[in-house]
Amino acid sequence: MAIGSLAGRIALVTGAGSGIGRATCAALSREGASIIAADKVGKNAKLTIQSLKGDVAQNISVEVDVKDSSSIQRMFGELKKCFPKPPSIIVNSAGITRDAFLLKMEESHFDDVINVNLKGTFLIIQAAAQALIDANTSHGASIVNIASIVGVHGNIGQANYSASKAGVEALTKTAAKELSKFGIRCNAVVPGFIESPMTDAVPVKVKEMVQAQIMVGRFGKPEEIAEVITFLASSRSSYINGTCIEVTGGCRL
Ligand SMILES: NC(=O)c1ccc[n+]([C@@H]2O[C@H](COP(=O)([O-])OP(=O)(O)OC[C@H]3O[C@@H](n4cnc5c(N)ncnc54)[C@H](O)[C@@H]3O)[C@@H](O)[C@H]2O)c1
């Protein structure tokens, strides 16, 4: 993508303190967007902002809990004071896992994962779209959600997580249908297995088994997901809407 293709755009990235969210901030910033790095762990969001190269004057970090609508309202209130218009790129990368076999899974761990991954994505979409519509700046905006290949096929030990990510795909398609009349596109990236703190905890033996199912023969890098997110965020993908793009290295799960 040409350098500067996102000049003048403001991008809100949740889960920006780590992994795919942090790599997305770097890619969007490289293309000229101002970055709002939002994360539950404020100090990690700050580190993301500090790691950005180039003119960083327009970038800020903010602490937010995406499962909490009042925290989101507070964040949008703060953003109003910092920027002349609402973000027109929204990337929902905040996510958690709480893995266990279905028969052993605690109800609270099912709720936690649905609340962050699915409800959190819904709450951010709702607040961001409303802010854009209120400011009359919605045309050309792009929302990018992060689903997962295990939401497509299911995965042992991830009843909560796979269900949350299948939900993100359906939410994406519905949001696109409802928001297109305001000029807002909504798509999802569907990553396979990506090297990040989220997958660091996976035992080596399991990683080797998974890797054998990936045509490219390795886990992906956060940057490889960030590139697709950046494309979906830009007007170069102006005719892509309501879709979920698999970025898995050819995963045969
Ligand atoms: N790593 C993978 O293999 C993989 C594969 C498919 C999809 N994904 C998805 O990609 C996204 C990013 O994953 P990652 O690998 O970068 O994980 P990560 O653990 O490195 O980063 C997730 C970030 O989300 C933040 N977060 C968690 N709960 C939050 C909350 N309630 N409010 C705000 N921020 C919160 C965390 O603090 C962390 O900084 C997630 O949605 C994940 O489910 C990851």
Side-chain angles (χ1 to χ4, degrees):
M1 199 174 308
I3 299 293
S5 62
L6 297 178
R9 303 282 299 274
I10 300 167
L12 167 65
V13 181
T14 73
S18 177
I20 293 168
R22 178 171 285 176
T24 300
C25 290
L28 293 171
S29 172
R30 182 197 68 208
E31 301 302 326
S34 295
I35 304 298
I36 301 158
D39 203 286
K40 193 173 178 201
V41 186
K43 69 173 184 340
N44 289 346
K46 204 176 231 173
L47 284 173
T48 296
I49 292 298
Q50 286 166 0
S51 72
L52 297 178
K53 299 184 176 80
D55 178 11
V56 294
Q58 291 297 309
N59 304 325
I60 65 162
S61 63
V62 51
E63 201 170 297
V64 71
D65 182 349
V66 298
K67 67 179 181 301
D68 176 359
S69 54
S70 51
S71 171
I72 292 173
Q73 289 311 323
R74 267 199 305 280
M75 174 177 73
F76 275 91
E78 279 177 43
L79 296 184
K80 250 185 170 174
K81 293 179 207 152
C82 301
F83 294 96
K85 55 187 180 183
S88 66
I89 295 169
I90 295 96
V91 180
N92 281 300
S93 192
I96 60 168
T97 53
R98 296 284 181 271
D99 295 354
F101 292 125
L102 185 145
L103 293 176
K104 305 246 182 224
M105 188 171 283
E106 289 175 28
E107 186 178 342
S108 65
H109 284 180
F110 188 88
D111 289 346
D112 289 345
V113 170
I114 296 290
N115 283 339
V116 175
N117 298 4
L118 181 54
K119 183 182 154 192
T121 300
F122 159 70
L123 290 173
I124 291 282
I125 291 174
Q126 191 181 49
Q130 193 61 61
L132 284 161
I133 293 162
D134 289 349
N136 213 10
T137 56
S138 58
H139 201 83
S142 176
I143 298 170
V144 185
N145 301 324
I146 318 296
S148 167
I149 197 66
V150 308
V152 178
H153 299 292
N155 197 26
I156 288 171
Q158 294 199 303
N160 48 6
Y161 184 81
S162 58
S164 75
K165 294 301 188 178
V168 166
E169 290 208 26
L171 171 62
T172 299
K173 291 170 188 170
T174 301
K177 284 186 172 170
E178 291 195 21
L179 299 177
S180 59
K181 67 169 180 273
F182 301 107
I184 303 173
R185 292 183 297 120
C186 186
N187 294 290
V189 173
V190 185
F193 293 85
I194 309 302
E195 288 168 8
S196 82
M198 185 173 272
T199 49
D200 281 351
V202 177
V204 174
K205 238 181 167 178
V206 177
K207 274 190 180 164
E208 283 170 1
M209 273 164 50
V210 169
Q211 219 152 281
Q213 302 300 315
I214 302 171
M215 293 176 206
V216 167
R218 61 171 176 81
F219 276 31
K221 297 182 191 318
E223 292 75 16
E224 293 174 304
I225 303 301
E227 287 304 321
V228 182
I229 294 171
T230 301
F231 170 65
L232 288 173
S234 82
S235 61
R236 295 187 168 210
S237 60
S238 52
Y239 205 57
I240 300 179
N241 197 16
T243 200
C244 304
I245 298 180
E246 292 187 10
V247 188
T248 68
C251 190
R252 294 166 295 215
L253 264 184

